Amino acid sequence: MQSLRILIITHAPLSPKYGASQMAINLAKVFQEQGHDVTLWSPLPLPPETKWWQSTQQMRSKVDAFIESQKPFDIIDIPPIFITQRVSQSALVVARSVQPDILYIAESFTNCKIKNIKDIVRIPLSNLYSLFQVSLILQGWKRAKYILCLGSLELQWMKKWFPWWRSKLIYYVNALSKEEQEALTQIRLHRRQNHSQGSIKFLWIGRWVSHKGTTQMLNFIKKRTASHPQDTFTIAGCGTEAEKDVPIELIRAGVIKIVHSFERSQLYTLLANHDVGLFTSKVEGWGLVLNEMLESGMQVYATPVGGVQDLQSFFKETLKPFPPPLQLMTNFSINSQNFEDYYKIFTWSEIAKSYINLIIIDLCKKN
């Protein structure tokens, strides 16, 4: 296979605690294992005096400066918002999606709340900034050679709303690292399923923002506790904002436990100690927590966004529509064959292989 010089840029800090960086790190690692010369880079951090409305432009400038300082690349894998004119002229450019930015922005518009006088000024300004970001994303898609959508659902959305770019559209799926998949396999093999009619332990993981479906999740908890008071719920990774919305009486009674944050290594204990996962997002890029819960052998009830459509055929018994039925049973059987087929697609080695084969075909056409 031809060795390529590849630059992967992420808009997040280079740490696996951030989903976008986790994906970039996994992709870079596999490309390196395949013999490619890979540079993984982020324009963060920015100077501490940077204002929120200056951040995007400063990061774009840093991207240009970094590319100018490097030897030429064959491929630049980059968020569309960073694709400047210089970037587009420097290599074969892949605008790789890690989240549906435009849908997130649209969702934020519908949840604007004016609480005080300052918000009357701040909200219109932030909306103008969001529209500016949308214009940069569209410009980036136009300049890119390929638009790499995250999941088949985003691919369908792009085909519907931007049909003039259909020839550029391809998609990939998300996956966990090999080490994480091995750890979750052990949890799955040793999972003790709840065959009784006793309590069920539910788990929800995510940031406490409206597009994660926090309202829908809390509504379900209230209904569930009314009919099944023995059940318990853990809300994890939500920061301190959740306590403003979660009924205090349910926290005091021990029905709801809030885990503000946790280390990546603590995730395995969370997954092993719960029976059923909840995924309630209204808009989502992928939702890697889906893979984590399903690979750990949990039953998951999910809204039809992010990676749900791509995962559904591999987890027919354990991935169901949210909300769960009133008469919820957890004595499902785990079909090992599903995992065998699943790992043929949902591993970074397979994702990188499909990605690079398409690029090599394109480079060969040029030569």
Side-chain angles (χ1 to χ4, degrees):
M1 179 183 287
Q2 177 186 353
S3 178
L4 301 172
R5 184 165 159 75
I6 304 172
L7 171 61
I8 299 176
I9 295 178
T10 176
H11 68 285
L14 287 177
S15 167
K17 68 183 287 187
Y18 301 99
S21 286
Q22 188 182 138
M23 295 165 71
I25 290 167
N26 287 330
L27 186 60
K29 181 180 179 182
V30 173
F31 279 155
Q32 288 171 337
E33 290 172 352
Q34 293 176 348
H36 301 293
D37 179 8
V38 183
T39 299
L40 178 61
W41 185 80
S42 170
L44 296 177
L46 296 176
E49 65 273 14
T50 304
K51 307 297 183 184
W52 60 269
W53 63 85
Q54 299 172 325
S55 57
T56 298
Q57 203 56 49
Q58 286 203 22
M59 286 193 282
R60 284 166 60 89
S61 297
K62 287 186 72 173
V63 168
D64 279 350
F66 180 79
I67 289 175
E68 285 181 27
S69 71
Q70 303 294 303
K71 295 188 298 183
F73 293 96
D74 297 305
I75 301 168
I76 298 177
D77 175 296
I78 184 171
I81 202 167
F82 293 159
I83 303 177
T84 63
Q85 186 68 33
R86 176 167 293 280
V87 170
S88 67
Q89 295 171 348
S90 300
L92 187 153
V93 177
V94 179
R96 183 167 58 87
S97 173
V98 297
Q99 59 188 30
D101 295 293
I102 291 179
L103 290 178
Y104 279 166
I105 290 170
E107 177 67 19
S108 70
F109 282 171
T110 63
N111 285 283
C112 289
K113 296 179 181 179
I114 297 177
K115 298 179 181 178
N116 51 49
I117 297 296
K118 289 182 180 179
D119 288 340
I120 296 175
V121 176
R122 184 185 62 79
I123 288 176
L125 284 177
S126 64
N127 285 352
L128 284 174
Y129 180 68
S130 294
L131 291 174
F132 168 65
Q133 289 182 303
V134 169
S135 71
L136 293 180
I137 292 167
L138 295 174
Q139 188 181 72
W141 283 339
K142 181 179 179 182
R143 289 171 172 168
K145 173 66 176 178
Y146 291 110
I147 301 171
L148 186 57
C149 304
L150 179 53
S152 60
L153 195 64
E154 185 176 42
L155 177 67
Q156 293 166 9
W157 183 83
M158 287 291 294
K159 285 181 176 180
K160 177 181 178 180
W161 292 102
F162 304 99
W164 50 89
W165 286 328
R166 277 178 176 249
S167 62
K168 295 184 178 187
L169 299 177
I170 51 179
Y171 84 100
Y172 72 122
V173 296
N174 205 350
L176 299 165
S177 69
K178 182 179 179 181
E179 295 75 17
E180 289 173 320
Q181 290 187 325
E182 289 173 350
L184 291 174
T185 297
Q186 291 305 307
I187 294 174
R188 182 173 73 248
L189 293 176
H190 294 90
R191 176 172 291 280
R192 293 177 123 190
Q193 294 180 17
N194 182 3
H195 291 276
S196 69
Q197 296 298 314
S199 64
I200 294 175
K201 297 177 181 178
F202 291 88
L203 175 64
W204 184 94
I205 299 176
R207 291 182 297 121
W208 200 257
V209 289
S210 63
H211 74 258
K212 293 290 185 181
T214 53
T215 300
Q216 291 88 328
M217 187 264 294
L218 286 178
N219 287 341
F220 166 72
I221 290 178
K222 291 172 186 176
K223 291 179 181 178
R224 184 76 190 179
T225 53
S227 59
H228 295 75
Q230 73 277 18
D231 290 349
T232 59
F233 301 81
T234 298
I235 299 172
C238 55
T240 58
E241 295 297 311
E243 286 163 322
K244 298 177 182 178
D245 300 322
V246 176
I248 188 66
E249 63 274 13
L250 294 181
I251 297 176
R252 288 173 178 167
V255 174
I256 296 179
K257 178 183 178 182
I258 296 179
V259 179
H260 298 134
S261 63
F262 56 90
E263 296 298 322
R264 190 74 187 161
S265 59
Q266 296 173 299
L267 171 67
Y268 305 121
T269 302
L270 273 174
L271 295 172
N273 290 341
H274 290 83
D275 306 307
V276 175
L278 301 175
F279 181 82
T280 58
S281 294
K282 294 188 284 183
V283 179
E284 191 63 68
W286 180 268
L288 199 57
V289 69
L290 286 166
N291 300 61
E292 293 163 350
M293 289 177 171
L294 290 165
E295 289 188 39
S296 75
M298 290 181 71
Q299 197 163 13
V300 180
Y301 289 86
T303 47
V305 299
V308 171
Q309 179 171 286
D310 295 294
L311 293 166
Q312 188 69 67
S313 62
F314 298 94
F315 298 97
K316 292 178 181 177
E317 289 190 63
T318 55
L319 181 56
K320 303 290 185 180
F322 178 85
L326 191 62
Q327 298 304 319
L328 173 60
M329 300 291 289
T330 60
N331 58 339
F332 55 88
S333 61
I334 298 173
N335 187 339
S336 60
Q337 182 61 44
N338 279 358
F339 284 98
E340 195 174 308
D341 294 339
Y342 167 82
Y343 290 132
K344 292 177 183 177
I345 297 174
F346 294 91
T347 60
W348 279 105
S349 58
E350 292 300 321
I351 294 167
K353 190 187 301 181
S354 299
Y355 180 137
I356 215 68
N357 284 346
L358 180 62
I359 301 301
I360 288 176
I361 290 171
D362 189 81
L363 290 175
C364 289
K365 286 179 182 177
K366 288 186 175 181
N367 300 329

